[in-house]
């Protein structure tokens, strides 16, 4: 049997996120963590069994198959573009850049190089969310006309310099587009800060999507109650995916034709409600498995860099809508159908 060499991977940025990535890469089949980079010597000192460098540029001669970029947000464009120029595929933490133009430059750099670049969009790989997406796409739960998400946590400001919209709501913006297969055409929002932090700590956003769907997103990073729920209303009922209880509950109805005209007291009966237990799995690991699959040319549900740019267009619109009180159209006209594009797997270059 032919033995394939493991993919040679490196992690750039060794903060909390970088440590999670290195731990996953050390245990991922078919992948070898061969190098890390960080300008901070204290953080570098924790790694002695791999090549250790002070900057991404110092890794470019190592014949890497890919890098994970887990630097602070302002550094991601420069680091990512250096990788693209050097021909190294990358999985980049989200938001991939501090602004839409920077995100577009990054996406274009990878596209122009014909390289695989993806956003570390771990929430798509949360097992209940992934299952919800699979079943919706398979037609099992019907077609979506409304999405609601609730993401509450006591995270504080773990992404220095960003508010809850870029830290948390960006995941739900991605999920709304991913689950519906549509892009966002208008945004109304309110964001506010009630804690001592420098940025907004809770937000509500209402999105209209290109297929006529609507989504409402609630996030709060100072809540003592943790919640991670995605609800999809479809022409076949209502599906509630709860990432904390690892369950999906489908409340079925027979179709939309009669529901507006007739109340149906039987719709709450147990025979119309189906619960699914979804096996627990690590979303971080899931996104790495998906990226590895894409790199190997297998079908894989990764978030492309253009999709990452599209989410930034929407989160920027959320902030503008909240500031102005107006409905805002995301400035992603430069991203035709970005939300609908599937990943373009790049054939793995055998080493
Ligand atoms: N903390 C989490 O749990 C978490 C989870 C998911 C995603 N994220 C994302 O990951 C990002 C990083 O989070 P963190 O908590 O690890 O941040 P952090 O600030 O603790 O770590 C960032 C690291 O990057 C290094 N760095 C800075 N500039 C660099 C450069 N040019 N090249 C290489 N390394 C550089 C820093 O020295 C630091 O060690 C966040 O912005 C967030 O978007 C974080």
């Amino acid at each position: 049997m032919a033995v394939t060499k493991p993919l040679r991977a490196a992690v750039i940025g060794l903060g909390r996120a970088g440590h999670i990535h290195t731990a996953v890469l050390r245990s991922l089949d078919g992948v070898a963590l061969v190098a890390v980079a960080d300008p901070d010597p204290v953080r570098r000192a924790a790694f002695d069994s791999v090549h250790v460098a002070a900057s991404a540029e110092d890794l470019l001669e190592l014949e890497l198959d890919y890098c994970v970029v887990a630097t602070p947000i302002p550094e991601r464009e420069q680091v990512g573009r250096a990788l693209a120029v050097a021909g190294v595929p990358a999985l980049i933490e989200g938001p991939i850049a501090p602004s839409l133009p920077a995100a577009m430059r990054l996406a274009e750099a990878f596209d122009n190089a014909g390289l695989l670049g993806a956003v570390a969009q771990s929430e798509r790989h949360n097992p209940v969310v992934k299952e919800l997406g699979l079943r919706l796409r398979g037609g099992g739960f019907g077609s979506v006309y409304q999405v609601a998400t609730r993401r509450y946590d006591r995270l504080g400001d773990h992404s220095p310099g960003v508010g809850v919209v870029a830290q948390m709501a960006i995941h739900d913006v991605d999920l709304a587009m991913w689950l519906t297969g549509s892009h966002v055409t208008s945004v109304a929002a309110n964001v506010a800060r009630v804690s001592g932090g420098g940025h907004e700590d809770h937000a509500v956003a209402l999105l209209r999507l290109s297929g006529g769907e609507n989504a409402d997103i609630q996030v709060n990073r100072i809540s003592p109650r943790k919640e991670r729920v995605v609800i999809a209303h479809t022409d076949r009922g209502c599906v509630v995916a709860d990432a904390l209880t690892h369950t999906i509950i489908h409340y079925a109805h027979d179709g939309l034709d009669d529901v507006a005209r007739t109340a149906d007291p039987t719709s709450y009966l147990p025979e119309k409600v189906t619960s699914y237990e979804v096996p627990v799995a690590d979303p971080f690991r899931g996104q790495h498995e998906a990226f590895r699959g894409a790199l190997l040319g297998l079908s894989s549900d990764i978030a492309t860099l253009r999709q990452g740019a599209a989410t930034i267009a929407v989160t920027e619109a959320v902030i503008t809508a909240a500031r102005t009180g107006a409905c805002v159209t995301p400035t992603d006209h430069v991203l035709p159908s970005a939300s609908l594009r599937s990943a373009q797997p790049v054939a793995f270059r055998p080493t």
Side-chain angles (χ1 to χ4, degrees):
M1 189 170 70
V3 178
T4 314
K5 280 189 188 169
L7 299 170
R8 291 166 57 78
V11 173
I12 301 168
L14 299 174
R16 184 159 165 254
H19 275 267
I20 301 172
H21 287 296
T22 56
V24 171
L25 289 175
R26 283 184 195 278
S27 63
L28 198 62
D29 281 349
V31 176
L33 176 71
V34 297
V36 293
D38 196 298
D40 183 339
V42 176
R43 295 202 160 171
R44 291 202 300 272
F47 293 83
D48 55 11
S49 57
V50 297
H51 183 95
V52 180
S55 76
E57 285 73 14
D58 296 339
L59 302 180
L60 300 179
E61 302 298 319
L62 297 179
E63 297 195 357
L64 298 169
D65 292 307
Y66 70 101
C67 281
V68 178
V69 180
T71 64
I73 299 166
E75 325 296 334
R76 290 178 195 160
E77 182 194 355
Q78 190 201 340
V79 170
R81 288 173 72 181
L83 295 173
V85 168
V88 181
L91 177 65
I92 304 175
E93 269 296 348
I96 57 172
S99 68
L100 178 60
M104 282 303 298
R105 288 192 294 268
L106 189 52
E108 275 163 14
F110 278 83
D111 279 358
N112 292 343
L115 272 182
L116 181 67
V119 189
Q121 190 50 270
S122 57
E123 286 302 308
R124 284 192 193 185
H125 301 280
N126 205 313
V128 288
V129 175
K130 188 173 173 181
E131 186 69 22
L132 176 63
L134 280 173
R135 286 178 185 255
L136 284 172
R137 251 171 262 134
F141 285 147
S143 88
V144 189
Y145 63 86
Q146 182 175 27
V147 175
T149 65
R150 306 279 174 268
R151 188 179 301 275
Y152 309 148
D153 213 327
R154 182 71 194 278
L155 288 179
D157 189 359
H158 85 198
S159 294
V162 300
V164 71
V165 173
Q167 183 184 12
M168 295 172 81
I170 195 163
H171 292 291
D172 299 302
V173 167
D174 178 71
L175 293 186
M177 294 195 284
W178 181 65
L179 291 172
T180 58
S182 298
H183 61 272
V184 175
T185 57
S186 88
V187 178
N190 194 14
V191 309
R193 171 168 58 89
V194 293
S195 63
H199 296 270
E200 81 278 355
D201 49 35
H202 65 288
V204 178
L206 301 175
L207 315 179
R208 182 191 295 166
L209 292 115
S210 55
E213 310 90 343
N214 63 65
D216 83 88
I217 290 172
Q218 276 192 24
V219 287
N220 184 320
R221 71 180 182 192
I222 53 166
S223 170
R225 174 181 161 75
K226 187 166 177 165
E227 190 157 325
R228 292 273 194 286
V229 176
V230 179
I231 301 170
H233 291 277
T234 78
D235 59 356
R236 300 265 300 277
C238 171
V239 196
V240 180
D242 189 325
L244 299 185
T245 59
H246 310 287
T247 53
I248 293 179
I249 303 177
H250 184 210
Y251 302 80
H253 63 54
D254 298 329
L256 292 177
D257 288 347
D258 292 328
V259 290
R261 271 173 282 139
T262 43
D264 178 9
T266 68
S267 62
Y268 313 111
L269 293 178
E271 57 267 30
K272 299 244 178 156
V273 179
T274 312
S275 290
Y276 305 86
E277 296 270 336
V278 180
V280 178
D282 175 15
F284 243 75
R285 191 177 186 80
Q287 74 185 351
H288 276 282
E289 289 167 350
F291 189 79
R292 179 192 59 191
L295 207 51
L296 294 171
L298 307 173
S299 168
S300 174
D301 212 346
I302 57 164
T304 66
L305 294 181
R306 282 186 182 271
Q307 289 171 336
T311 60
I312 291 173
V314 177
T315 53
E316 288 186 348
V318 168
I319 298 296
T320 305
R323 196 182 64 241
T324 60
C327 273
V328 174
T329 300
T331 50
D332 67 347
H333 50 275
V334 286
L335 308 165
S337 302
S339 59
L340 307 174
R341 282 174 57 133
S342 58
Q344 299 295 320
V346 174
F348 168 51
R349 172 174 44 83
T351 52

Short mmCIF file of all heavy atoms in Angstrom, two decimals, residues 144-147 180-185 207-215:
data_model
loop_
_atom_site.label_atom_id
_atom_site.label_comp_id
_atom_site.label_asym_id
_atom_site.label_seq_id
_atom_site.Cartn_x
_atom_site.Cartn_y
_atom_site.Cartn_z
N VAL A 144 -35.35 26.84 3.83
CA VAL A 144 -35.35 27.83 4.91
C VAL A 144 -35.91 29.16 4.44
O VAL A 144 -35.56 29.64 3.36
CB VAL A 144 -33.90 28.12 5.36
CG1 VAL A 144 -33.88 28.99 6.61
CG2 VAL A 144 -33.14 26.86 5.58
N TYR A 145 -36.79 29.74 5.27
CA TYR A 145 -37.19 31.13 4.97
C TYR A 145 -36.82 32.08 6.09
O TYR A 145 -36.87 33.30 5.92
CB TYR A 145 -38.70 31.21 4.65
CG TYR A 145 -39.61 30.82 5.80
CD1 TYR A 145 -39.98 31.75 6.77
CD2 TYR A 145 -40.10 29.52 5.91
CE1 TYR A 145 -40.82 31.40 7.81
CE2 TYR A 145 -40.94 29.16 6.95
CZ TYR A 145 -41.30 30.10 7.90
OH TYR A 145 -42.12 29.76 8.94
N GLN A 146 -36.42 31.54 7.25
CA GLN A 146 -36.05 32.43 8.36
C GLN A 146 -35.02 31.72 9.24
O GLN A 146 -35.15 30.53 9.51
CB GLN A 146 -37.28 32.78 9.20
CG GLN A 146 -36.99 33.73 10.35
CD GLN A 146 -38.25 34.15 11.08
OE1 GLN A 146 -39.25 33.42 11.10
NE2 GLN A 146 -38.22 35.32 11.69
N VAL A 147 -34.01 32.49 9.66
CA VAL A 147 -32.98 31.95 10.56
C VAL A 147 -32.90 32.88 11.77
O VAL A 147 -32.98 34.10 11.64
CB VAL A 147 -31.60 31.92 9.87
CG1 VAL A 147 -30.51 31.48 10.85
CG2 VAL A 147 -31.62 30.99 8.66
N THR A 180 -28.69 29.34 4.29
CA THR A 180 -29.69 29.69 3.27
C THR A 180 -29.13 29.58 1.86
O THR A 180 -29.90 29.48 0.90
CB THR A 180 -30.18 31.14 3.47
OG1 THR A 180 -29.04 32.02 3.41
CG2 THR A 180 -30.89 31.32 4.81
N GLY A 181 -27.79 29.67 1.73
CA GLY A 181 -27.20 29.71 0.40
C GLY A 181 -27.40 31.05 -0.29
O GLY A 181 -27.26 31.16 -1.50
N SER A 182 -27.74 32.07 0.49
CA SER A 182 -28.00 33.40 -0.06
C SER A 182 -27.00 34.40 0.49
O SER A 182 -26.31 34.13 1.48
CB SER A 182 -29.42 33.86 0.32
OG SER A 182 -30.38 32.98 -0.24
N HIS A 183 -26.94 35.59 -0.12
CA HIS A 183 -26.09 36.64 0.44
C HIS A 183 -26.96 37.75 1.04
O HIS A 183 -28.15 37.86 0.74
CB HIS A 183 -25.11 37.17 -0.59
CG HIS A 183 -25.75 37.80 -1.78
ND1 HIS A 183 -26.11 37.09 -2.90
CD2 HIS A 183 -26.13 39.07 -2.01
CE1 HIS A 183 -26.66 37.89 -3.77
NE2 HIS A 183 -26.69 39.10 -3.25
N VAL A 184 -26.35 38.56 1.88
CA VAL A 184 -27.11 39.57 2.62
C VAL A 184 -27.30 40.80 1.75
O VAL A 184 -26.35 41.33 1.18
CB VAL A 184 -26.37 39.94 3.92
CG1 VAL A 184 -27.08 41.08 4.65
CG2 VAL A 184 -26.25 38.70 4.82
N THR A 185 -28.56 41.27 1.66
CA THR A 185 -28.84 42.44 0.82
C THR A 185 -29.14 43.69 1.65
O THR A 185 -29.04 44.79 1.13
CB THR A 185 -30.03 42.17 -0.12
OG1 THR A 185 -31.17 41.79 0.67
CG2 THR A 185 -29.70 41.05 -1.10
N LEU A 207 -31.13 40.80 9.24
CA LEU A 207 -30.58 40.71 7.88
C LEU A 207 -31.68 40.31 6.90
O LEU A 207 -32.50 39.44 7.22
CB LEU A 207 -29.48 39.65 7.80
CG LEU A 207 -28.42 39.62 8.90
CD1 LEU A 207 -27.43 38.49 8.64
CD2 LEU A 207 -27.70 40.95 9.01
N ARG A 208 -31.66 40.92 5.73
CA ARG A 208 -32.49 40.42 4.62
C ARG A 208 -31.53 39.74 3.66
O ARG A 208 -30.44 40.27 3.37
CB ARG A 208 -33.23 41.55 3.92
CG ARG A 208 -34.13 41.03 2.80
CD ARG A 208 -34.64 42.15 1.94
NE ARG A 208 -35.51 43.04 2.68
CZ ARG A 208 -35.88 44.25 2.24
NH1 ARG A 208 -35.42 44.70 1.09
NH2 ARG A 208 -36.68 45.01 2.95
N LEU A 209 -31.94 38.56 3.16
CA LEU A 209 -31.04 37.81 2.28
C LEU A 209 -31.61 37.75 0.87
O LEU A 209 -32.80 37.98 0.65
CB LEU A 209 -30.78 36.42 2.85
CG LEU A 209 -29.94 36.49 4.15
CD1 LEU A 209 -30.73 35.99 5.34
CD2 LEU A 209 -28.65 35.71 4.01
N SER A 210 -30.72 37.42 -0.07
CA SER A 210 -31.05 37.54 -1.49
C SER A 210 -32.16 36.59 -1.96
O SER A 210 -32.81 36.84 -2.96
CB SER A 210 -29.80 37.32 -2.34
OG SER A 210 -29.20 36.08 -2.02
N GLY A 211 -32.39 35.51 -1.20
CA GLY A 211 -33.47 34.60 -1.59
C GLY A 211 -34.78 34.97 -0.94
O GLY A 211 -35.73 34.18 -0.97
N GLY A 212 -34.84 36.15 -0.30
CA GLY A 212 -36.06 36.58 0.38
C GLY A 212 -36.09 36.13 1.84
O GLY A 212 -37.02 36.47 2.58
N GLU A 213 -35.08 35.38 2.28
CA GLU A 213 -35.04 34.93 3.67
C GLU A 213 -34.71 36.11 4.59
O GLU A 213 -34.18 37.12 4.16
CB GLU A 213 -33.96 33.86 3.89
CG GLU A 213 -33.97 32.71 2.90
CD GLU A 213 -33.10 32.99 1.67
OE1 GLU A 213 -32.75 34.16 1.42
OE2 GLU A 213 -32.79 32.02 0.95
N ASN A 214 -35.06 35.95 5.88
CA ASN A 214 -34.57 36.93 6.85
C ASN A 214 -33.88 36.21 7.99
O ASN A 214 -34.12 35.02 8.24
CB ASN A 214 -35.68 37.88 7.33
CG ASN A 214 -36.77 37.16 8.06
OD1 ASN A 214 -36.53 36.61 9.14
ND2 ASN A 214 -37.97 37.14 7.51
N ALA A 215 -32.99 36.93 8.64
CA ALA A 215 -32.24 36.34 9.76
C ALA A 215 -32.16 37.37 10.86
O ALA A 215 -32.01 38.56 10.61
CB ALA A 215 -30.83 35.94 9.31
#
